[in-house]
């Protein structure tokens, strides 16, 4: 066996091929520079090269690929939002996820297991009815279920812990799913690289150059580059990077934490989320229970994790599933999230010509990795913002045309 493995490994017939080439030298000019090598930046690069034939693209990442929120998130994919504009956008995102393994020839481990959000108050039940109406109208699979329906979907739930926070019902979203986050980033990176996109890791952008109101290039830790278009896709750093171009974004940055337990026997085959407990759980394919909740209550640019949050998440989880008591927490981590006032992203044009924004993804942007990249590539390639992105324009804040998704984002992300 060992000998056969060695023979296979050393044979010229099976050469080692790297999916992503090593960081090349920077060229003096590109058609498009994408700042941020997270899922969103890589998805846009892929769509530019694959569908618009724009291949002189450089993705500049100050750290390593997907080292920001892309590989820190808890991978909830869903389209059960509140506004028709939000639902239409995230629905397209979900459809792209369902087809992504084939599209990228890379197994992203898409698992459409459904998401159940629990209500512990009458007010939450009323909000669920509104979301179910909106979602059904927009063609998503969504319905309100009573306590019996909740029990049928997840028999292990503690329906009434001493009457303190009885479960009154739930919002069942059969389309809800998860996927492997680093596989998504890797898949986009590998296919983008195959189409000729250059991926420059450890390359930080320190300045954005503008002449006569139009973007002309960027200054990086490895030198200056000229370009025709720049996309800002910098996750938690979006506010600061936009400021380099004099663009003020209505964004505040908060840490968001999550944790994972030791592997346990598979029992949870859906995503579970509780609005009142600010806790959600999903069991990974390794058996680990991934647990997340709300943002930290203060603005901060730090990815440290806290005992407070661990206690809060453990408490919520044990309320819902008492048998988790005694299960060990293996890891806890945080990302920094760029939050907008209305819990919707900012996508499209900026006040600077050819400087494009893919910002304000806060705690909910993983599910939009495919669709945001696809639609922003369309903006860059055609110079026109497609209708599906109009509601997410930066200038909505000037017109007081906010797209309030706070109630549908909450702890579920
Ligand atoms: C704990 C946690 C749980 C979450 N759970 C979910 C969830 O369940 N579902 C969901 O949909 N979303 C979730 N999110 C949100 C989601 O992770 C993000 O919205 C999404 O990953 C944003 O992707 P991105 O590519 O825009 O940003 P990122 O992945 O953060 O990528 C941005 C990149 O830009 C780089 N960068 C920054 N500044 C510069 C610079 N000056 N020069 C060069 N590069 C720079 C960073 O290093 C980073 O790699 C969660 C987030 C966290 C933290």
């Amino acid at each position: 066996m060992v000998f056969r493995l060695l023979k296979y490994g050393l044979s010229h017939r099976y050469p080692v091929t790297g999916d992503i080439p090593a960081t090349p030298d920077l060229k003096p000019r590109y058609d498009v520079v994408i700042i941020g090598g997270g899922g969103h930046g890589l998805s846009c690069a892929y769509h530019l090269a694959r569908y618009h034939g724009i291949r002189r693209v450089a993705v500049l990442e100050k750290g390593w690929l997907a080292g920001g929120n892309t590989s820190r998130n808890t991978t909830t994919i869903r389209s059960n939002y509140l506004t028709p504009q939000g639902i239409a956008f995230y629905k397209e995102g979900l459809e792209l996820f369902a087809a992504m393994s084939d599209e990228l020839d890379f197994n992203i481990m898409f698992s459409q297991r459904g998401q159940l959000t629990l209500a512990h108050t009458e007010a939450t039940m009323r909000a669920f009815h509104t979301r179910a109406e909106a979602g059904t109208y927009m063609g998503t699979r969504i319905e309100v279920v009573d306590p019996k329906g909740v029990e049928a979907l997840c028999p292990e739930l503690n329906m009434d812990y001493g009457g303190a926070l009885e479960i009154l019902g739930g919002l069942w979203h059969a389309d809800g799913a998860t996927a492997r986050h680093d596989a998504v980033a890797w898949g986009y990176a590998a296919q983008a690289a195959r189409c000729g996109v250059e991926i420059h890791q450890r390359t930080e952008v320190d300045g954005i150059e503008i002449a006569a109101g139009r973007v002309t290039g960027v200054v990086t830790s490895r030198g200056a580059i000229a370009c025709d278009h720049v996309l800002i896709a910098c996750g938690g750093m979006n506010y600061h990077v936009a400021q380099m171009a004099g663009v003020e974004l209505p964004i505040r940055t908060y840490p968001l934490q999550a944790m994972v337990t030791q592997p346990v026997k598979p029992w949870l085959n859906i995503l579970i989320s509780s609005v009142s407990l600010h806790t959600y759980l999903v069991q990974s394919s390794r058996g680990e229970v991934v647990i997340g909740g709300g943002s930290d209550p203060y603005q901060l640019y730090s990815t440290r994790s806290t005992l407070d949050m661990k206690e809060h998440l453990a408490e919520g989880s044990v309320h819902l599933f008492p048998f988790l008591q005694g299960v060990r927490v293996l890891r806890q981590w945080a990302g920094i999230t760029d939050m907008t006032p209305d819990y919707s992203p900012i996508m499209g044009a900026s006040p600077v010509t050819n400087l494009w924004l893919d910002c304000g993804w806060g705690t909910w942007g993983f599910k939009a990795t495919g669709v945001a990249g696809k639609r922003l590539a369309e903006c860059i390639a055609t110079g026109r913002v497609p209708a599906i992105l109009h509601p997410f324009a930066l200038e909505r804040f000037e017109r007081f045309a906010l797209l309030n998704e706070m109630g549908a984002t909450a702890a579920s992300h």
Side-chain angles (χ1 to χ4, degrees), residues 40 73 76-78 81 89-90 256 295 337-346 359-369 392 396 405-406 408-410 412-413:
H40 281 239
N73 77 82
T76 304
I77 302 166
R78 62 189 179 91
Y81 279 78
F89 178 77
Y90 292 109
L256 177 67
S295 307
T337 60
D338 47 331
M339 303 293 286
T340 55
D342 57 0
Y343 286 60
S344 284
I346 300 169
C359 305
W361 282 109
T363 66
W364 55 85
F366 174 66
K367 65 183 70 60
T369 307
F392 303 100
R396 75 178 182 270
E405 289 289 3
M406 187 180 183
T409 304
S412 298
H413 307 314

Side-chain angles (χ1 to χ4, degrees), residues 386-411:
I388 197 166
L389 294 195
H390 288 174
F392 303 100
L394 172 60
E395 46 91 41
R396 75 178 182 270
F397 296 99
E398 283 169 23
R399 291 186 285 113
F400 298 103
L402 273 65
L403 201 61
N404 193 349
E405 289 289 3
M406 187 180 183
T409 304

Side-chain angles (χ1 to χ4, degrees), residues 252-256 295-300 335-339 363:
R252 291 172 182 222
T253 300
Y254 292 83
L256 177 67
S295 307
D296 284 5
Y298 30 73
Q299 294 180 54
L300 201 64
I336 50 170
T337 60
D338 47 331
M339 303 293 286
T363 66

Side-chain angles (χ1 to χ4, degrees), residues 149-230:
V150 169
E151 269 186 289
L153 286 162
C154 190
E156 295 81 4
L157 263 173
N158 177 20
M159 296 297 290
D160 174 2
Y161 26 92
L165 263 182
E166 183 186 1
I167 294 171
L168 302 183
L171 186 65
W172 172 239
H173 179 42
D175 293 330
T178 61
R180 179 94 208 154
H181 44 27
D182 39 9
V184 170
W186 234 248
Y188 275 126
Q191 288 300 342
R194 233 159 263 162
C195 294
V197 167
E198 289 183 13
I199 298 170
H200 294 267
Q201 302 189 62
R202 303 214 175 275
T203 308
E204 180 161 1
V205 171
D206 304 315
I208 297 177
E209 303 203 311
I210 297 162
R214 170 179 288 270
V215 78
T216 56
V218 294
V219 181
T220 81
S221 51
R222 293 167 59 213
I225 339 174
C227 61
D228 298 329
H229 293 264
V230 170

Side-chain angles (χ1 to χ4, degrees), residues 90-210:
Y90 292 109
K91 187 166 174 283
E92 184 171 315
L94 214 152
E95 284 158 9
L96 287 179
F97 260 104
M100 205 176 280
S101 291
D102 284 342
E103 168 84 22
L104 299 178
D105 191 20
F106 204 100
N107 186 2
I108 64 150
M109 297 172 76
F110 181 71
S111 164
Q112 194 151 37
R113 51 182 92 173
Q115 187 208 28
L116 178 64
T117 314
L118 303 172
H120 307 271
T121 67
E122 291 294 346
T124 310
M125 283 301 282
R126 279 196 296 278
F128 283 0
H129 280 287
T130 310
R131 281 169 69 184
E133 290 284 327
T136 306
Y137 174 72
M138 297 296 293
T140 62
R141 289 189 293 163
I142 184 166
E143 60 182 306
V144 176
V145 288
D146 63 10
K148 285 224 166 345
V150 169
E151 269 186 289
L153 286 162
C154 190
E156 295 81 4
L157 263 173
N158 177 20
M159 296 297 290
D160 174 2
Y161 26 92
L165 263 182
E166 183 186 1
I167 294 171
L168 302 183
L171 186 65
W172 172 239
H173 179 42
D175 293 330
T178 61
R180 179 94 208 154
H181 44 27
D182 39 9
V184 170
W186 234 248
Y188 275 126
Q191 288 300 342
R194 233 159 263 162
C195 294
V197 167
E198 289 183 13
I199 298 170
H200 294 267
Q201 302 189 62
R202 303 214 175 275
T203 308
E204 180 161 1
V205 171
D206 304 315
I208 297 177
E209 303 203 311
I210 297 162

